[in-house]
Structure formats: C-alpha cells, structure tokens
Amino acid sequence: MDDHKRKNNRGFTLVELLVVIGIIALLIAILLPALSKARSQARTVACGANLRSILQGMQLYVAQNKGYFPGGANSSGAFLLAPGASFNDNNCPEVCQIWDWQSPIALMQGIEFERGGTMAQRSDRFARLNAFPAFRCPENDVLMTPFSSTGAGTVYLNSYTTAAVFQYTRFQSGTSGQTGKQYARSDYAVPPGYAPKITSVANASRKIYIADGGRYTNAKGDGPDYDFAYDGGFGGIYSDVGAWSSFSASWDRAAAPGNGTPGRDARLFAFRHGNRKAGGQADSYRFNAGFFDGHVETLGDLQGSDPAMWMPTGTEVPNASSQVYPDVNSTYIRGSGTYVAP
C-alpha cells in the first residue's frame, strides 16, 4: 500500500474526537432544558385531563343524587353524621371520611375498590384511590404520613383538594352534634337557602369545585400529613377553604414575596406546574383548577387566589381583610369589613 492510500485511511485523532464529544455535550446542554420544559408541560396537560375526568364523575353523581355534588358533610358524607348514627373510625363504609370526594366519584367511574367499614378496609380504600392514576397529579411525588396513630401509613400526598365552602349551609355552626367536633369553619355565611347542589352554584364557569392541592402543608413546616378521622375537621384529607385564605393548609402562600412570613415556601406542594424553586414571584407557581361547569384552567398562585372563585355567590366573610394574605387583600378584597362574594 502506498503512502497516498495510508493517508486517506487514517482514523480520527484524539483532538478531533474530543471536539466531536464537546459538540455533542454542548447540544445536550442546550436541548435538556427544552426537553425538561416539554415534559413538565405534558404533565400539566395530563393533570388537567385527570381533573376533567373527576369533574365528569362529579356531574354523574349530581345526576343520580338529586343535584347534590359529592365531598362533604351535607352531601355524600351526611350519613356519617346523621342523628342516632353509630359510625366511627372502625365503622366507616363506602367513604374514607365525611369529606371524601374520591370514593363517590370512583363509583361513578366504575372503579373497583374496597367498600367495607373496618379500619383495615378503609385504609385499603384510601391507599388505593389516593394512588389511582386518574386521581394523582403526575407532578406529585410527595409522600405524607398520618397525623395520628390511625391511618393507611405513608402514602402519596392527596393530589386534588375541593373547595370546602361550597359544602356548607347557611349559618352552619360547624360542629357535629354526634361527635362534638368542629368539621367546618363557621365564619363563612353562605346565602339563605344555599345547599351543596349544582343548581345553587351561580356562575359555575367561575367557581372552583376542585384543584391541585397540598393538604396538609404550610409555611411553618407542618406536614405533609393527613387527618384520617372519619369526621375529619376543617376539610379533613380532601377539602379546604381556598387559596385566598390564610387559614388554608392546602394552598399556603404565606412565603410569597410581600406576604411577610418567613419559612418554607409551601407553594411548591400545591402550585406544582411552574416554578420549582422556593422564593419565586407571585404567579410563577401554577396549578390546575377544575370548575363546576366542567372546564379546567391553569392559573398562577395569585391569579387563582381570587376569593370569588372559592365560595358561592353571596357568601359573606366578616373581616375578610384580616384573614387574607397582603397581596390577596390588595388585589381582590381592597378594603375592610364584610366581603361578599360576587
């Protein structure tokens, strides 16, 4: 073989290989953020599909239960607090507690699960439904533990939380006569004649039934944990007053800039579809919300804190400005005294 052929058949030099590897590494570094963003957007879309499916199940329940929607002590959980009832933590059939929206909607969707009333059966029901793909946000990989000695062990954080005030009645004392336990906040007065029925929800396209949530978490560092009592107080595992309220333990925005509370940025638990680092500006964190008319929107954390979306039209909240975050007050309440939801 002559010298000319040897030169044409020579391999890559070490320098040339390093240059190629460097170019590939640079391309990967450029593409990875775009790929990560695309994956996150896909998970946001999948979460929205979950919520639309849940809303369809809610509407099926409404159609079969005289207009009542599930998930509270005045609808699907009412039988547990009926006068003379003998239900307790070890005798709670069909649902996991009075605030349970998962079990009634799962029945509407034809999902098979344990329906017995013992603690073991109830724990099995909760663990299965809580991890069921249609009830779990794909961005949610957080685990929670029982608040007390009773529970289903360590499970995924309950992905979706309903708006509790829609489950109230006018001047509700908030206390169960059977157990003496306060299961609802008594400082929200829904309109006269209101009941948790779809016909009572005016402007359904702007009223939230359910949304991404982080119950029970807050800026103090509590949780994630869950109250497994069959008559769980203040929303139990499944429900809360809304992202507008400083009483919320599902959508805690206390650490948002300007709200004046140092500590853990609990927005990372509920507002999962956006910024994934603590300390970001309002609305850089996003969440999916499902409305009573069946549609789903992705909202920023402040954008989704409009109190009008979280309670029935005409609901009265005395001294509302004293129980909201500063940015919610300046954006939506704009004053003191009694707030009346539009």
Side-chain angles (χ1 to χ4, degrees):
M1 184 178 293
D2 59 30
D3 290 342
H4 178 72
K5 289 183 178 180
R6 285 196 199 96
K7 290 179 181 177
N8 286 342
N9 290 334
R10 70 182 181 82
F12 288 110
T13 67
L14 178 60
V15 171
E16 289 171 331
L17 286 173
L18 290 174
V19 169
V20 171
I21 292 171
I23 292 171
I24 293 173
L26 178 62
L27 290 173
I28 291 173
I30 293 171
L31 290 174
L32 274 179
L35 291 172
S36 178
K37 184 177 181 180
R39 283 195 297 268
S40 179
Q41 290 174 340
R43 289 192 288 264
T44 299
V45 171
C47 172
N50 283 352
L51 283 171
R52 279 187 285 274
S53 176
I54 289 168
L55 292 169
Q56 290 171 356
M58 178 269 283
Q59 291 165 343
L60 286 172
Y61 183 94
V62 165
Q64 296 183 26
N65 289 273
K66 301 180 179 179
Y68 285 89
F69 44 82
N74 297 300
S75 58
S76 55
F79 73 98
L80 295 174
L81 302 177
S86 58
F87 297 105
N88 53 58
D89 280 339
N90 290 292
N91 176 29
C92 181
E94 301 292 333
V95 295
C96 291
Q97 63 177 206
I98 60 174
W99 299 96
D100 181 359
W101 59 264
Q102 288 180 338
S103 299
I105 288 178
L107 284 177
M108 296 295 103
Q109 295 178 332
I111 300 169
E112 295 294 328
F113 60 90
E114 174 58 66
R115 297 169 64 180
T118 68
M119 177 62 73
Q121 292 168 324
R122 190 168 142 240
S123 297
D124 179 85
R125 173 162 63 249
F126 176 60
R128 168 162 165 68
L129 293 179
N130 205 46
F132 189 69
F135 293 161
R136 183 184 164 206
C137 170
E139 288 277 28
N140 176 22
D141 58 0
V142 177
L143 298 176
M144 62 179 182
T145 56
F147 178 71
S148 64
S149 59
T150 60
T154 299
V155 296
Y156 282 112
L157 178 73
N158 203 4
S159 291
Y160 304 119
T161 305
T162 54
V165 184
F166 287 103
Q167 296 287 351
Y168 293 0
T169 57
R170 180 71 172 175
F171 296 124
Q172 180 172 320
S173 68
T175 303
S176 162
Q178 178 186 341
T179 65
K181 183 173 184 176
Q182 190 170 12
Y183 62 87
R185 298 205 68 90
S186 56
D187 42 359
Y188 305 107
V190 297
Y194 176 84
K197 302 178 72 172
I198 201 70
T199 52
S200 294
V201 180
N203 197 14
S205 66
R206 300 313 307 152
K207 301 293 184 178
I208 294 173
Y209 172 68
I210 193 167
D212 281 311
R215 186 129 179 109
Y216 178 93
T217 57
N218 60 32
K220 298 176 183 178
D222 295 334
D225 55 24
Y226 62 96
D227 176 5
F228 201 58
Y230 83 103
D231 58 344
F234 301 115
I237 309 167
Y238 300 96
S239 197
D240 207 338
V241 292
W244 67 280
S245 174
S246 59
F247 293 150
S248 171
S250 301
W251 300 280
D252 191 318
R253 298 186 60 258
N259 284 344
T261 302
R264 178 175 66 176
D265 194 341
R267 291 178 296 173
L268 292 168
F269 293 102
F271 304 99
R272 297 183 281 265
H273 303 288
N275 187 8
R276 300 304 297 162
K277 295 182 180 179
Q281 295 298 313
D283 286 337
S284 67
Y285 304 88
R286 301 180 67 77
F287 73 129
N288 283 326
F291 293 77
F292 275 95
D293 70 340
H295 87 280
V296 175
E297 294 182 22
T298 304
L299 304 169
D301 61 291
L302 178 58
Q303 181 187 13
S305 296
D306 182 351
M309 295 193 293
W310 296 94
M311 62 187 78
T313 298
T315 299
E316 299 172 356
V317 185
N319 301 314
S321 60
S322 67
Q323 57 176 280
V324 299
Y325 302 113
D327 60 356
V328 172
N329 188 40
S330 61
T331 305
Y332 300 111
I333 303 296
R334 300 189 184 95
S336 59
T338 298
Y339 170 82
V340 181

PDB file of all heavy atoms in Angstrom, residues 16-38:
ATOM      1  N   GLU A  16      -9.641  15.498  17.421  1.00  0.00           N
ATOM      2  CA  GLU A  16     -10.897  15.504  16.653  1.00  0.00           C
ATOM      3  C   GLU A  16     -12.023  14.826  17.443  1.00  0.00           C
ATOM      4  O   GLU A  16     -13.173  15.297  17.459  1.00  0.00           O
ATOM      5  CB  GLU A  16     -10.679  14.807  15.314  1.00  0.00           C
ATOM      6  CG  GLU A  16      -9.823  15.617  14.352  1.00  0.00           C
ATOM      7  CD  GLU A  16      -9.425  14.828  13.117  1.00  0.00           C
ATOM      8  OE1 GLU A  16      -9.305  13.581  13.222  1.00  0.00           O
ATOM      9  OE2 GLU A  16      -9.211  15.445  12.060  1.00  0.00           O
ATOM     10  N   LEU A  17     -11.722  13.709  18.100  1.00  0.00           N
ATOM     11  CA  LEU A  17     -12.727  13.021  18.914  1.00  0.00           C
ATOM     12  C   LEU A  17     -13.210  13.901  20.062  1.00  0.00           C
ATOM     13  O   LEU A  17     -14.407  13.967  20.363  1.00  0.00           O
ATOM     14  CB  LEU A  17     -12.148  11.716  19.463  1.00  0.00           C
ATOM     15  CG  LEU A  17     -11.995  10.575  18.456  1.00  0.00           C
ATOM     16  CD1 LEU A  17     -11.247   9.413  19.088  1.00  0.00           C
ATOM     17  CD2 LEU A  17     -13.366  10.108  17.960  1.00  0.00           C
ATOM     18  N   LEU A  18     -12.277  14.593  20.704  1.00  0.00           N
ATOM     19  CA  LEU A  18     -12.651  15.475  21.806  1.00  0.00           C
ATOM     20  C   LEU A  18     -13.534  16.617  21.323  1.00  0.00           C
ATOM     21  O   LEU A  18     -14.468  17.047  22.014  1.00  0.00           O
ATOM     22  CB  LEU A  18     -11.395  16.013  22.486  1.00  0.00           C
ATOM     23  CG  LEU A  18     -10.582  14.989  23.295  1.00  0.00           C
ATOM     24  CD1 LEU A  18      -9.284  15.612  23.804  1.00  0.00           C
ATOM     25  CD2 LEU A  18     -11.408  14.454  24.458  1.00  0.00           C
ATOM     26  N   VAL A  19     -13.244  17.130  20.138  1.00  0.00           N
ATOM     27  CA  VAL A  19     -14.068  18.204  19.578  1.00  0.00           C
ATOM     28  C   VAL A  19     -15.488  17.711  19.323  1.00  0.00           C
ATOM     29  O   VAL A  19     -16.473  18.377  19.661  1.00  0.00           O
ATOM     30  CB  VAL A  19     -13.429  18.749  18.276  1.00  0.00           C
ATOM     31  CG1 VAL A  19     -14.419  19.669  17.544  1.00  0.00           C
ATOM     32  CG2 VAL A  19     -12.156  19.497  18.576  1.00  0.00           C
ATOM     33  N   VAL A  20     -15.616  16.515  18.743  1.00  0.00           N
ATOM     34  CA  VAL A  20     -16.951  15.938  18.483  1.00  0.00           C
ATOM     35  C   VAL A  20     -17.714  15.710  19.787  1.00  0.00           C
ATOM     36  O   VAL A  20     -18.900  16.048  19.912  1.00  0.00           O
ATOM     37  CB  VAL A  20     -16.811  14.619  17.693  1.00  0.00           C
ATOM     38  CG1 VAL A  20     -18.164  13.914  17.615  1.00  0.00           C
ATOM     39  CG2 VAL A  20     -16.273  14.888  16.301  1.00  0.00           C
ATOM     40  N   ILE A  21     -17.023  15.155  20.783  1.00  0.00           N
ATOM     41  CA  ILE A  21     -17.669  14.922  22.087  1.00  0.00           C
ATOM     42  C   ILE A  21     -18.112  16.238  22.700  1.00  0.00           C
ATOM     43  O   ILE A  21     -19.206  16.356  23.270  1.00  0.00           O
ATOM     44  CB  ILE A  21     -16.697  14.171  23.030  1.00  0.00           C
ATOM     45  CG1 ILE A  21     -16.474  12.751  22.529  1.00  0.00           C
ATOM     46  CG2 ILE A  21     -17.256  14.149  24.461  1.00  0.00           C
ATOM     47  CD1 ILE A  21     -15.364  12.004  23.258  1.00  0.00           C
ATOM     48  N   GLY A  22     -17.258  17.258  22.585  1.00  0.00           N
ATOM     49  CA  GLY A  22     -17.613  18.568  23.127  1.00  0.00           C
ATOM     50  C   GLY A  22     -18.836  19.153  22.455  1.00  0.00           C
ATOM     51  O   GLY A  22     -19.702  19.753  23.107  1.00  0.00           O
ATOM     52  N   ILE A  23     -18.940  18.995  21.130  1.00  0.00           N
ATOM     53  CA  ILE A  23     -20.109  19.494  20.393  1.00  0.00           C
ATOM     54  C   ILE A  23     -21.372  18.770  20.836  1.00  0.00           C
ATOM     55  O   ILE A  23     -22.415  19.381  21.055  1.00  0.00           O
ATOM     56  CB  ILE A  23     -19.885  19.333  18.873  1.00  0.00           C
ATOM     57  CG1 ILE A  23     -18.764  20.288  18.407  1.00  0.00           C
ATOM     58  CG2 ILE A  23     -21.171  19.614  18.107  1.00  0.00           C
ATOM     59  CD1 ILE A  23     -18.332  20.053  16.965  1.00  0.00           C
ATOM     60  N   ILE A  24     -21.269  17.447  20.994  1.00  0.00           N
ATOM     61  CA  ILE A  24     -22.430  16.659  21.443  1.00  0.00           C
ATOM     62  C   ILE A  24     -22.867  17.096  22.835  1.00  0.00           C
ATOM     63  O   ILE A  24     -24.061  17.268  23.109  1.00  0.00           O
ATOM     64  CB  ILE A  24     -22.091  15.148  21.422  1.00  0.00           C
ATOM     65  CG1 ILE A  24     -21.894  14.672  19.971  1.00  0.00           C
ATOM     66  CG2 ILE A  24     -23.202  14.346  22.105  1.00  0.00           C
ATOM     67  CD1 ILE A  24     -21.386  13.250  19.875  1.00  0.00           C
ATOM     68  N   ALA A  25     -21.890  17.289  23.736  1.00  0.00           N
ATOM     69  CA  ALA A  25     -22.218  17.722  25.103  1.00  0.00           C
ATOM     70  C   ALA A  25     -22.885  19.091  25.095  1.00  0.00           C
ATOM     71  O   ALA A  25     -23.840  19.345  25.853  1.00  0.00           O
ATOM     72  CB  ALA A  25     -20.954  17.760  25.950  1.00  0.00           C
ATOM     73  N   LEU A  26     -22.397  19.980  24.225  1.00  0.00           N
ATOM     74  CA  LEU A  26     -22.997  21.315  24.125  1.00  0.00           C
ATOM     75  C   LEU A  26     -24.433  21.234  23.626  1.00  0.00           C
ATOM     76  O   LEU A  26     -25.330  21.910  24.159  1.00  0.00           O
ATOM     77  CB  LEU A  26     -22.153  22.187  23.188  1.00  0.00           C
ATOM     78  CG  LEU A  26     -22.665  23.610  22.939  1.00  0.00           C
ATOM     79  CD1 LEU A  26     -22.683  24.393  24.257  1.00  0.00           C
ATOM     80  CD2 LEU A  26     -21.790  24.328  21.922  1.00  0.00           C
ATOM     81  N   LEU A  27     -24.677  20.395  22.629  1.00  0.00           N
ATOM     82  CA  LEU A  27     -26.040  20.229  22.107  1.00  0.00           C
ATOM     83  C   LEU A  27     -26.976  19.673  23.169  1.00  0.00           C
ATOM     84  O   LEU A  27     -28.131  20.108  23.291  1.00  0.00           O
ATOM     85  CB  LEU A  27     -26.016  19.318  20.878  1.00  0.00           C
ATOM     86  CG  LEU A  27     -25.372  19.904  19.612  1.00  0.00           C
ATOM     87  CD1 LEU A  27     -25.256  18.844  18.529  1.00  0.00           C
ATOM     88  CD2 LEU A  27     -26.183  21.094  19.114  1.00  0.00           C
ATOM     89  N   ILE A  28     -26.475  18.707  23.948  1.00  0.00           N
ATOM     90  CA  ILE A  28     -27.281  18.137  25.024  1.00  0.00           C
ATOM     91  C   ILE A  28     -27.623  19.203  26.054  1.00  0.00           C
ATOM     92  O   ILE A  28     -28.765  19.315  26.525  1.00  0.00           O
ATOM     93  CB  ILE A  28     -26.550  16.948  25.686  1.00  0.00           C
ATOM     94  CG1 ILE A  28     -26.486  15.768  24.709  1.00  0.00           C
ATOM     95  CG2 ILE A  28     -27.257  16.535  26.977  1.00  0.00           C
ATOM     96  CD1 ILE A  28     -25.640  14.611  25.215  1.00  0.00           C
ATOM     97  N   ALA A  29     -26.625  20.021  26.428  1.00  0.00           N
ATOM     98  CA  ALA A  29     -26.848  21.083  27.419  1.00  0.00           C
ATOM     99  C   ALA A  29     -27.879  22.086  26.928  1.00  0.00           C
ATOM    100  O   ALA A  29     -28.671  22.626  27.705  1.00  0.00           O
ATOM    101  CB  ALA A  29     -25.531  21.780  27.731  1.00  0.00           C
ATOM    102  N   ILE A  30     -27.870  22.344  25.616  1.00  0.00           N
ATOM    103  CA  ILE A  30     -28.842  23.275  25.043  1.00  0.00           C
ATOM    104  C   ILE A  30     -30.233  22.671  25.012  1.00  0.00           C
ATOM    105  O   ILE A  30     -31.250  23.337  25.303  1.00  0.00           O
ATOM    106  CB  ILE A  30     -28.398  23.692  23.621  1.00  0.00           C
ATOM    107  CG1 ILE A  30     -27.115  24.531  23.692  1.00  0.00           C
ATOM    108  CG2 ILE A  30     -29.501  24.479  22.913  1.00  0.00           C
ATOM    109  CD1 ILE A  30     -26.490  24.805  22.331  1.00  0.00           C
ATOM    110  N   LEU A  31     -30.314  21.375  24.700  1.00  0.00           N
ATOM    111  CA  LEU A  31     -31.614  20.725  24.497  1.00  0.00           C
ATOM    112  C   LEU A  31     -32.278  20.284  25.795  1.00  0.00           C
ATOM    113  O   LEU A  31     -33.516  20.231  25.866  1.00  0.00           O
ATOM    114  CB  LEU A  31     -31.446  19.509  23.579  1.00  0.00           C
ATOM    115  CG  LEU A  31     -31.114  19.814  22.113  1.00  0.00           C
ATOM    116  CD1 LEU A  31     -30.834  18.529  21.355  1.00  0.00           C
ATOM    117  CD2 LEU A  31     -32.271  20.574  21.456  1.00  0.00           C
ATOM    118  N   LEU A  32     -31.491  19.970  26.826  1.00  0.00           N
ATOM    119  CA  LEU A  32     -32.079  19.423  28.060  1.00  0.00           C
ATOM    120  C   LEU A  32     -33.129  20.337  28.690  1.00  0.00           C
ATOM    121  O   LEU A  32     -34.209  19.865  29.072  1.00  0.00           O
ATOM    122  CB  LEU A  32     -30.985  19.090  29.074  1.00  0.00           C
ATOM    123  CG  LEU A  32     -30.347  17.708  28.939  1.00  0.00           C
ATOM    124  CD1 LEU A  32     -29.261  17.511  29.984  1.00  0.00           C
ATOM    125  CD2 LEU A  32     -31.398  16.602  29.063  1.00  0.00           C
ATOM    126  N   PRO A  33     -32.872  21.644  28.847  1.00  0.00           N
ATOM    127  CA  PRO A  33     -33.918  22.500  29.429  1.00  0.00           C
ATOM    128  C   PRO A  33     -35.199  22.492  28.611  1.00  0.00           C
ATOM    129  O   PRO A  33     -36.303  22.498  29.169  1.00  0.00           O
ATOM    130  CB  PRO A  33     -33.262  23.890  29.441  1.00  0.00           C
ATOM    131  CG  PRO A  33     -31.797  23.621  29.457  1.00  0.00           C
ATOM    132  CD  PRO A  33     -31.624  22.395  28.623  1.00  0.00           C
ATOM    133  N   ALA A  34     -35.068  22.472  27.291  1.00  0.00           N
ATOM    134  CA  ALA A  34     -36.253  22.444  26.440  1.00  0.00           C
ATOM    135  C   ALA A  34     -37.010  21.133  26.613  1.00  0.00           C
ATOM    136  O   ALA A  34     -38.248  21.113  26.672  1.00  0.00           O
ATOM    137  CB  ALA A  34     -35.851  22.632  24.978  1.00  0.00           C
ATOM    138  N   LEU A  35     -36.257  20.028  26.709  1.00  0.00           N
ATOM    139  CA  LEU A  35     -36.900  18.729  26.913  1.00  0.00           C
ATOM    140  C   LEU A  35     -37.583  18.662  28.280  1.00  0.00           C
ATOM    141  O   LEU A  35     -38.681  18.131  28.419  1.00  0.00           O
ATOM    142  CB  LEU A  35     -35.864  17.599  26.782  1.00  0.00           C
ATOM    143  CG  LEU A  35     -35.301  17.370  25.374  1.00  0.00           C
ATOM    144  CD1 LEU A  35     -34.153  16.369  25.430  1.00  0.00           C
ATOM    145  CD2 LEU A  35     -36.398  16.884  24.429  1.00  0.00           C
ATOM    146  N   SER A  36     -36.907  19.205  29.300  1.00  0.00           N
ATOM    147  CA  SER A  36     -37.485  19.221  30.648  1.00  0.00           C
ATOM    148  C   SER A  36     -38.766  20.051  30.681  1.00  0.00           C
ATOM    149  O   SER A  36     -39.767  19.651  31.295  1.00  0.00           O
ATOM    150  CB  SER A  36     -36.468  19.789  31.636  1.00  0.00           C
ATOM    151  OG  SER A  36     -37.005  19.869  32.927  1.00  0.00           O
ATOM    152  N   LYS A  37     -38.740  21.197  30.003  1.00  0.00           N
ATOM    153  CA  LYS A  37     -39.930  22.044  29.944  1.00  0.00           C
ATOM    154  C   LYS A  37     -41.056  21.339  29.212  1.00  0.00           C
ATOM    155  O   LYS A  37     -42.229  21.416  29.614  1.00  0.00           O
ATOM    156  CB  LYS A  37     -39.587  23.364  29.250  1.00  0.00           C
ATOM    157  CG  LYS A  37     -40.734  24.361  29.221  1.00  0.00           C
ATOM    158  CD  LYS A  37     -40.313  25.679  28.599  1.00  0.00           C
ATOM    159  CE  LYS A  37     -41.480  26.671  28.594  1.00  0.00           C
ATOM    160  NZ  LYS A  37     -41.065  27.972  27.976  1.00  0.00           N
ATOM    161  N   ALA A  38     -40.723  20.625  28.132  1.00  0.00           N
ATOM    162  CA  ALA A  38     -41.744  19.898  27.372  1.00  0.00           C
ATOM    163  C   ALA A  38     -42.369  18.801  28.224  1.00  0.00           C
ATOM    164  O   ALA A  38     -43.590  18.585  28.190  1.00  0.00           O
ATOM    165  CB  ALA A  38     -41.127  19.314  26.110  1.00  0.00           C
TER     166      ALA A  38
END
